[in-house]
Amino acid sequence: MPQSPIRKLVPFAEAAYKQGKTVYHLNIGQPDIKTPDIALDAVKVHSLDILAYTRSEGSDEYRTKIANYYSQHDIHVTKKDIIVTTGGSEALLFAFGTIMDTDDEIIIPEPFYANYNGFSTASGVNIVPVISKIEDNFALPPIEEFEKLITPKTKAILICNPGNPTGYLYSKEEIKKLAGIVKKHNLFLISDEVYREFAYDGAKHYSIMQEEGIADNAIMIDSVSKRYSMCGARIGCLVSKNKEVISTTLKFAQARLSPPTLAQIASEAALETPQSYFDNVIDEYVGRRNTLISELEKIDGIKVAKPKGAFYCIVELPIKNADHFAQWLLESFDIDGETIMVAPAAGFYSTPGVGLNQIRIAYVLNNESLVKAVNILREALKIYKD
Amino acid sequence: MPQSPIRKLVPFAEAAYKQGKTVYHLNIGQPDIKTPDIALDAVKVHSLDILAYTRSEGSDEYRTKIANYYSQHDIHVTKKDIIVTTGGSEALLFAFGTIMDTDDEIIIPEPFYANYNGFSTASGVNIVPVISKIEDNFALPPIEEFEKLITPKTKAILICNPGNPTGYLYSKEEIKKLAGIVKKHNLFLISDEVYREFAYDGAKHYSIMQEEGIADNAIMIDSVSKRYSMCGARIGCLVSKNKEVISTTLKFAQARLSPPTLAQIASEAALETPQSYFDNVIDEYVGRRNTLISELEKIDGIKVAKPKGAFYCIVELPIKNADHFAQWLLESFDIDGETIMVAPAAGFYSTPGVGLNQIRIAYVLNNESLVKAVNILREALKIYKD
């Protein structure tokens, strides 16, 4: 199993705590946003006598409500198109297992969410990366680049929209291009849309499930983790109109019996979260992003892809090796006892040697902390030597 | 993905409900026993603001308490030997992924828990069955039978103790024999001990973790599902003193981020369940088992393996095809509008053609219902024709 790019820094972070340092965590995707009360309270008033299994595909009531939520986002599915999973992670694992055999290939624009590596290893399939560039804000690479990579073993293209780690939001036109290529080559298009609500500057998220003509190709991955700041619930779902995909995924779901029951209670209640909650959260993230970007732009010699969604951005630094820099920040640098932890971006690339001078920043800290954190980055770059 | 032996009967059960029939479910492992209040209440008074991830291996507090629980059962491990998983299911999947590569082999005494098939398919490994016999009460097959099956691809032996679907409780001597063979051939010994507390007639469960000299070979699978009647929590764990096993399993755990947080709160509280709860539950199951066996013994021409643990038993019927019989019970038979649903046992065997005339009965119904259910079985056998 490959290891996440952040894990190897953990011992250095622990050593920094022991030295009494304060560490600003720009490295993690655990939001500091409060979970909606309606979800937390639903668990407090549960009336269970027996904490029993639910249906393997998730309870009928919950799936019906999820379908209703999607219809508000112009995605028209029924409960029969939905399998509730233990987080988006399990939905991805089920998708890989359902549509691919050992040694099959899946094309993914890189940089991509590092855990895709773990799911591909566990499923015995190979990731074929297609490079998207910081100069283009990590937009969809030209379709010809995908076509060059298609072999008889290619079964699917996977995107994350909006993207972790890029913050890029694919346009309707880009989704249409992807639809064209998966139809032409009879591939699956998997779209990880767990950050759907996190689209900024008035941009509207366009789901692969809204695109006509690819009903049999499209598999959407979703999760309550980021939407309701409920990462610990471990509830996600796989959505597809392809009946064969759903029936095979159901067998994977049955083998692990059921998704967690208490978390389904919280997740079902979370669907009643008022729009004002999201409006506030989006305002907060846009504010943080703007703070982060304007502070970063004050630093000489760096390149930033301005994110249009999610809560990550990739930053290119005037250094050679971000792995080493990230470790040095924890081990050997501080301002008044404060330092930062960042995620070296090389771990988000599958192609060796790419992204070595890039880091991912998660803007899951409040504005004040972000200003301090970027100041630490600026001062550190002044004295750091590769 | 292979399908569970019970799933294909579900449409017939649904048709029976539609006809207004009452169906006694002897087919499922979902206990009707109440979950301890201490676990259910812990969730009601949670003080979470953010339903966040826990550590991928489970929280330190919870793992420390699990280790303490084991020490009361003469199993001496620390939190470092424990990875908390999303149910025993995930612990098995992690174990398979950790110790085996594609096309490796695992020897399992059959009949075995049908979902082992799903985990082996998902992991790309092959199950090699060794037959245990109803005439021997499903005791451990002779060690020579295992040795005959060992090839260079064999990586492990897996047992379920006490057994689902057999109800068999392995003796200390049997565990010692298994320890001998795994040491001799350098194999892993995986023991699924989720029914540990369910040992009857004064018999004491002997864990592979108590056996000296196989610390590096032994991997224990556990779960809160049956112990505290918390199947819907989806909390289990993998336990091993083999540091390499733990470090690889941790990578699988990190790829799926964390086990469910709310369920860990319930499971941690469940560890405080008083012994009186288990005493009552064991009394109840022993009573049910005694009722079931004495009622079954009134039926001519059947064979029963008297279970010493768990809450299942295998029954051999004077018929040819239990699959067909089980379907017929739902479709075409009733006494005053009541019928039964049983699990055909062929699905618990890997060898084709074995167990065709056997069923598994889960005694998860109260005594009165069990008497009625066995009466239905007796009357049905009088008129059923293969």
Side-chain angles (χ1 to χ4, degrees):
Chain A
M1 287 292 289
Q3 202 165 20
S4 134
I6 300 157
R7 297 284 169 188
K8 45 187 167 181
L9 287 173
V10 170
F12 301 103
E14 283 168 359
Y17 304 146
K18 280 198 186 140
Q19 291 170 37
K21 283 187 195 171
T22 298
V23 179
Y24 291 103
H25 284 274
L26 299 174
N27 58 297
I28 47 168
Q30 169 62 58
D32 63 340
I33 302 287
K34 270 199 66 183
T35 305
D37 285 336
I38 200 168
L40 294 171
D41 291 346
V43 178
K44 287 186 180 165
V45 298
H46 80 74
S47 56
L48 300 171
D49 270 343
I50 304 176
L51 188 49
Y53 294 126
T54 63
R55 295 177 71 102
S56 297
E57 64 271 38
S59 75
D60 276 357
E61 296 77 4
Y62 180 40
R63 285 181 300 130
T64 303
K65 286 188 187 173
I66 297 173
N68 182 46
Y69 155 85
Y70 286 132
S71 74
Q72 292 158 20
H73 289 259
D74 203 22
I75 294 170
H76 302 289
V77 294
T78 73
K79 67 174 182 187
K80 291 187 179 170
D81 307 318
I82 300 170
I83 305 272
V84 176
T85 57
T86 307
S89 300
E90 190 181 67
L92 280 159
L93 204 54
F94 286 176
F96 282 23
T98 295
I99 63 170
M100 290 188 277
D101 291 320
T102 304
D103 287 332
D104 278 345
E105 294 170 2
I106 182 163
I107 300 174
I108 314 182
E110 64 179 356
F112 56 77
Y113 177 48
N115 280 344
Y116 293 164
N117 287 312
F119 306 135
S120 70
T121 303
S123 306
V125 302
N126 299 314
I127 292 176
V128 176
V130 52
I131 295 185
S132 65
K133 293 183 185 142
I134 196 166
E135 290 78 11
D136 305 328
N137 239 355
F138 299 109
L140 190 74
I143 284 296
E144 309 85 76
E145 298 300 315
F146 286 87
E147 290 211 289
K148 278 184 207 162
L149 301 170
I150 293 173
T151 75
K153 288 198 166 292
T154 309
K155 292 288 149 56
I157 295 171
L158 165 60
I159 59 169
C160 183
N161 185 27
N164 172 8
T166 63
Y168 187 76
L169 181 73
Y170 288 108
S171 68
K172 191 169 177 173
E173 290 62 42
E174 287 172 316
I175 299 297
K176 285 191 178 298
K177 283 183 191 169
L178 286 166
I181 189 173
V182 298
K183 264 194 294 190
K184 180 174 166 192
H185 295 277
N186 195 24
L187 305 175
F188 286 101
L189 178 58
I190 307 177
S191 183
D192 178 346
E193 303 190 354
V194 305
Y195 298 96
R196 178 179 307 111
E197 266 78 2
F198 303 89
Y200 310 136
D201 310 326
K204 215 171 139 41
H205 179 264
Y206 185 71
S207 169
I208 61 164
M209 301 303 287
Q210 291 172 267
E211 178 63 21
E212 283 181 22
I214 55 165
D216 273 348
N217 308 75
I219 299 174
M220 177 171 71
I221 304 299
D222 212 339
S223 163
V224 304
S225 291
K226 313 295 175 174
R227 183 166 307 141
Y228 310 109
S229 199
M230 284 171 57
C231 292
R234 313 312 300 130
I235 291 291
C237 62
L238 179 150
V239 184
S240 181
K241 295 221 163 239
N242 182 318
K243 292 194 190 316
E244 216 181 312
V245 166
I246 291 295
S247 97
T248 304
T249 300
L250 180 58
K251 288 182 191 167
F252 281 92
Q254 286 167 347
R256 63 74 165 116
L257 304 168
S258 93
T261 298
L262 290 168
Q264 280 183 85
I265 292 173
S267 300
E268 191 175 325
L271 286 167
E272 309 291 330
T273 302
Q275 184 57 36
S276 58
Y277 173 89
F278 297 107
D279 294 343
N280 290 336
V281 171
I282 301 303
D283 278 356
E284 179 65 28
Y285 277 119
V286 169
R288 291 176 183 190
R289 181 203 56 177
N290 293 347
T291 299
L292 175 70
I293 300 294
S294 67
E295 291 299 309
L296 285 171
E297 284 174 346
K298 293 177 190 165
I299 305 178
D300 282 342
I302 73 159
K303 219 180 272 179
V304 197
K306 188 174 179 182
K308 299 192 278 182
F311 35 72
Y312 307 98
C313 80
I314 296 278
V315 187
E316 195 165 291
L317 303 176
I319 60 170
K320 290 200 190 88
N321 187 324
D323 254 331
H324 183 255
F325 177 61
Q327 183 178 329
W328 175 85
L329 281 167
L330 292 167
E331 273 192 312
S332 311
F333 186 78
D334 70 86
I335 298 180
D336 301 333
E338 298 188 332
T339 190
I340 56 174
M341 183 166 171
V342 298
F348 301 108
Y349 289 88
S350 188
T351 307
V354 178
L356 295 181
N357 59 348
Q358 298 176 356
I359 58 171
R360 183 192 73 175
I361 291 180
Y363 41 103
V364 293
L365 305 179
N366 61 38
N367 280 302
E368 194 191 347
S369 298
L370 280 173
V371 172
K372 280 190 190 169
V374 178
N375 182 52
I376 291 167
L377 177 65
R378 183 175 52 232
E379 296 304 315
L381 285 169
K382 284 182 189 164
I383 65 164
Y384 175 75
K385 292 198 192 349
D386 267 306
Chain B
M1 287 292 289
Q3 202 165 19
S4 136
I6 299 157
R7 297 285 169 187
K8 45 188 167 181
L9 287 173
V10 170
F12 300 105
E14 282 168 359
Y17 304 145
K18 279 197 188 143
Q19 291 169 37
K21 283 187 195 171
T22 298
V23 179
Y24 291 102
H25 283 275
L26 300 173
N27 58 297
I28 47 167
Q30 168 62 57
D32 63 340
I33 302 286
K34 269 199 67 183
T35 306
D37 285 335
I38 200 167
L40 294 171
D41 291 347
V43 178
K44 287 186 181 165
V45 298
H46 79 76
S47 56
L48 301 171
D49 270 342
I50 303 176
L51 187 50
Y53 295 125
T54 63
R55 294 177 72 101
S56 298
E57 64 271 39
S59 75
D60 276 358
E61 296 78 3
Y62 180 39
R63 284 180 302 131
T64 303
K65 286 189 187 172
I66 297 174
N68 182 46
Y69 154 85
Y70 286 131
S71 74
Q72 294 159 19
H73 290 260
D74 204 22
I75 294 170
H76 302 288
V77 293
T78 73
K79 68 174 181 185
K80 290 186 180 172
D81 307 318
I82 300 170
I83 306 271
V84 176
T85 56
T86 308
S89 301
E90 191 181 65
L92 280 159
L93 203 54
F94 286 176
F96 282 23
T98 295
I99 63 170
M100 291 188 276
D101 290 319
T102 304
D103 286 334
D104 278 345
E105 294 170 2
I106 182 164
I107 300 174
I108 315 181
E110 64 179 358
F112 57 76
Y113 177 47
N115 280 344
Y116 293 165
N117 287 314
F119 305 136
S120 70
T121 303
S123 306
V125 303
N126 298 314
I127 291 176
V128 176
V130 51
I131 294 183
S132 65
K133 293 184 185 142
I134 196 165
E135 290 77 11
D136 306 328
N137 239 356
F138 298 109
L140 191 75
I143 285 294
E144 309 84 75
E145 297 300 314
F146 286 88
E147 290 210 289
K148 278 185 209 163
L149 300 171
I150 293 173
T151 75
K153 288 199 166 292
T154 308
K155 292 288 149 56
I157 294 171
L158 166 60
I159 59 169
C160 183
N161 184 30
N164 171 9
T166 64
Y168 187 77
L169 181 73
Y170 289 108
S171 68
K172 190 168 177 174
E173 290 63 40
E174 287 172 315
I175 299 296
K176 285 190 178 300
K177 283 184 192 169
L178 286 167
I181 189 174
V182 298
K183 264 194 294 189
K184 182 173 167 195
H185 295 276
N186 195 26
L187 305 175
F188 287 101
L189 178 59
I190 308 177
S191 184
D192 178 346
E193 303 189 357
V194 305
Y195 297 97
R196 177 180 307 110
E197 266 77 3
F198 302 90
Y200 309 137
D201 309 326
K204 214 169 139 41
H205 179 263
Y206 186 72
S207 171
I208 61 164
M209 301 303 287
Q210 291 172 268
E211 178 63 20
E212 282 180 22
I214 55 164
D216 273 348
N217 309 76
I219 300 174
M220 178 171 71
I221 305 298
D222 212 341
S223 164
V224 304
S225 290
K226 314 294 175 174
R227 183 165 307 139
Y228 309 109
S229 199
M230 284 171 56
C231 293
R234 313 312 301 128
I235 292 290
C237 61
L238 179 149
V239 184
S240 180
K241 294 218 164 247
N242 183 317
K243 290 193 191 316
E244 216 181 311
V245 165
I246 291 295
S247 98
T248 304
T249 299
L250 180 57
K251 288 182 191 168
F252 280 92
Q254 287 167 345
R256 62 73 166 119
L257 304 168
S258 93
T261 298
L262 290 168
Q264 280 183 85
I265 293 173
S267 300
E268 192 175 324
L271 286 167
E272 309 290 330
T273 302
Q275 185 56 38
S276 58
Y277 173 89
F278 296 107
D279 294 343
N280 290 337
V281 170
I282 301 303
D283 279 356
E284 177 66 28
Y285 276 120
V286 169
R288 290 176 183 189
R289 181 204 55 177
N290 293 346
T291 300
L292 176 70
I293 300 294
S294 68
E295 291 298 309
L296 284 171
E297 284 174 345
K298 293 178 191 164
I299 306 179
D300 282 342
I302 73 160
K303 219 180 271 178
V304 197
K306 188 174 178 182
K308 298 192 279 182
F311 35 73
Y312 306 97
C313 80
I314 295 277
V315 187
E316 195 164 291
L317 303 177
I319 59 170
K320 290 198 190 91
N321 186 325
D323 255 329
H324 182 254
F325 177 62
Q327 183 177 328
W328 174 86
L329 281 167
L330 293 167
E331 272 191 314
S332 311
F333 187 78
D334 70 87
I335 297 179
D336 300 334
E338 297 188 332
T339 190
I340 57 175
M341 183 165 171
V342 298
F348 301 109
Y349 289 88
S350 188
T351 307
V354 178
L356 295 181
N357 58 349
Q358 297 176 357
I359 58 171
R360 183 192 73 176
I361 290 180
Y363 41 104
V364 292
L365 304 180
N366 62 39
N367 280 303
E368 192 191 347
S369 298
L370 280 173
V371 172
K372 279 190 191 171
V374 179
N375 183 51
I376 290 167
L377 177 65
R378 182 174 53 232
E379 296 304 315
L381 285 168
K382 284 182 190 164
I383 64 164
Y384 175 74
K385 292 196 191 350
D386 267 307

